[in-house]
Amino acid sequence: EKKDESDKQFNVYGEGWKEFTGVPDPKAFPVQKEYAASLYTFVTRPLHPDAGTIQCYIRRDIDGTHINFSKYIVYMEETKIPIMAAYRYRNLGSSYYEIKLNTTGKTVDAPMGLTIARLEVNFSGTDFLLHNAVSGHTGSSKDLACAVYQRSRGPGSTKGPRKMKCAIPDIRKDKPEFTEWRHKGKSSPLSAALKSLQIEKGLIPLLNKPPTWNPKKRAYTLGFQGRVKVSSVKNFQLVDALRDPKHDHVLMQHGRVNQVQFSMDTHHPLSLLQSFAFALSSLHAKKFVD
């Protein structure tokens, strides 16, 4: 019992948490706008400490005239209800994903969802920045998360399993919301803080849990509790880089189920939106990362 209590204390970030009210269900809201507002809060704010692990899955597809996977839809595992979708686009020298909120709970309506965030990707596919500087957003634009992958091909690369560092804003002390990191274009303070050797206050640094070598399988492995069916370099688990030196508390995990489906399990303090962005970063093709 003492261990359970210490684990619970370890896992709680921020203060001011009220009772967990559950996962929004479109059938429980007679008015669509009310469901949309509830779902937006649920996916963009830190998951409640009492929410446990929210299990989702991502299905990818080829959209329109694309020749590679370009559409990704997140479903709740238990109800099969779609809650978010992402569409990949290309700019000169970079790519980005528009992330939309599915406000009807119907897959057919995914393209018409409300755009709530954008995930920016650099040319080499090693740096990712999630922000809400999108049309329709009211208030100041903020950086919501970032991820950096270590090169394993090309100049300055290192071999071995994938290595990724991520960061999300810390949680406010007065209420259960993320602290504000103003969006300043490509010169992101959040990304700069993650890359610096001295982690600033107001940030939660994460890293992918290092896999262990399995001599029988002759491969690096992680334990996904049956949520991952196929070995892949895209499979990963995130832990707190500072608070969890032993890597005992997995805050997010993502892995391949089949060719088009991937699991996405998220725990407090991440939001589902941040988790989706980290999953997209792993699925994105990379020029200098195996």
Side-chain angles (χ1 to χ4, degrees):
E1 293 182 0
K2 289 183 179 180
K3 185 179 185 300
D4 292 342
E5 183 64 26
S6 64
D7 284 350
K8 184 176 180 180
Q9 291 298 321
F10 174 92
N11 281 322
V12 175
Y13 295 70
E15 300 174 5
W17 294 99
K18 298 181 181 179
E19 185 178 356
F20 177 55
T21 57
V23 179
D25 185 339
K27 297 177 182 178
F29 293 85
V31 180
Q32 183 181 332
K33 287 185 177 180
E34 294 180 355
Y35 171 66
S38 179
L39 182 63
Y40 178 81
T41 299
F42 180 66
V43 303
T44 60
R45 292 187 180 178
L47 282 177
H48 196 286
D50 294 336
T53 300
I54 300 297
Q55 293 186 339
C56 300
Y57 64 90
I58 300 170
R59 287 191 64 85
R60 63 180 182 178
D61 200 355
I62 299 173
D63 187 52
T65 58
H66 288 264
I67 59 174
N68 297 316
F69 291 112
S70 58
K71 179 174 70 174
Y72 305 80
I73 300 180
V74 180
Y75 296 83
M76 298 297 297
E77 182 73 45
E78 185 175 350
T79 62
K80 316 302 180 190
I81 293 174
I83 57 173
M84 287 183 287
Y87 295 84
R88 178 175 54 80
Y89 301 95
R90 292 191 184 277
N91 279 334
L92 290 175
S94 64
S95 303
Y96 67 92
Y97 294 81
E98 293 281 358
I99 300 179
K100 297 176 177 289
L101 188 73
N102 189 316
T103 59
T104 67
K106 300 177 181 178
T107 302
V108 69
D109 293 331
M112 297 173 285
L114 174 68
T115 301
I116 58 174
R118 176 179 286 196
L119 180 65
E120 305 273 2
V121 190
N122 69 344
F123 173 74
S124 60
T126 56
D127 290 30
F128 297 79
L129 176 65
L130 179 70
H131 62 80
N132 62 3
V134 294
S135 59
H137 174 73
T138 58
S140 60
S141 299
K142 297 181 283 292
D143 288 345
L144 309 175
C146 63
V148 178
Y149 287 77
Q150 184 172 305
R151 290 188 176 205
S152 58
R153 294 198 300 263
S157 63
T158 58
K159 293 298 181 181
R162 272 190 180 182
K163 294 180 180 179
M164 61 188 291
K165 295 189 297 183
C166 305
I168 62 174
D170 202 353
I171 298 177
R172 295 173 53 163
K173 300 300 182 184
D174 57 335
K175 55 183 176 180
E177 296 180 11
F178 291 110
T179 56
E180 184 172 297
W181 287 75
R182 290 290 182 96
H183 178 64
K184 297 182 179 180
K186 293 184 178 180
S187 58
S188 163
L190 186 65
S191 295
L194 175 63
K195 293 177 182 178
S196 69
L197 295 177
Q198 184 176 2
I199 298 298
E200 298 181 17
K201 292 183 178 180
L203 176 153
I204 300 175
L206 310 169
L207 56 81
N208 64 314
K209 182 176 180 178
T212 56
W213 178 256
N214 188 318
K216 292 184 178 180
K217 296 183 177 181
R218 297 186 62 82
Y220 289 99
T221 60
L222 286 168
F224 287 93
Q225 295 78 47
R227 292 286 291 152
V228 174
K229 304 299 183 183
V230 183
S231 298
S232 171
V233 295
K234 298 176 174 63
N235 302 346
F236 69 88
Q237 295 175 324
L238 290 181
V239 295
D240 191 314
L242 294 182
R243 293 175 61 170
D244 186 14
K246 294 184 179 180
H247 308 151
D248 291 332
H249 303 270
V250 174
L251 303 180
M252 182 219 164
Q253 67 178 20
H254 168 263
R256 185 190 291 271
V257 176
N258 54 47
Q259 178 63 19
V260 298
Q261 185 166 318
F262 296 80
S263 60
M264 186 188 93
D265 299 343
T266 312
H267 196 281
H268 170 84
L270 278 75
S271 71
L272 291 179
L273 175 59
Q274 293 165 337
S275 186
F276 189 22
F278 294 144
L280 290 171
S281 78
S282 181
L283 294 171
H284 186 81
K286 301 169 181 61
K287 296 182 182 297
F288 299 111
V289 181
D290 290 328

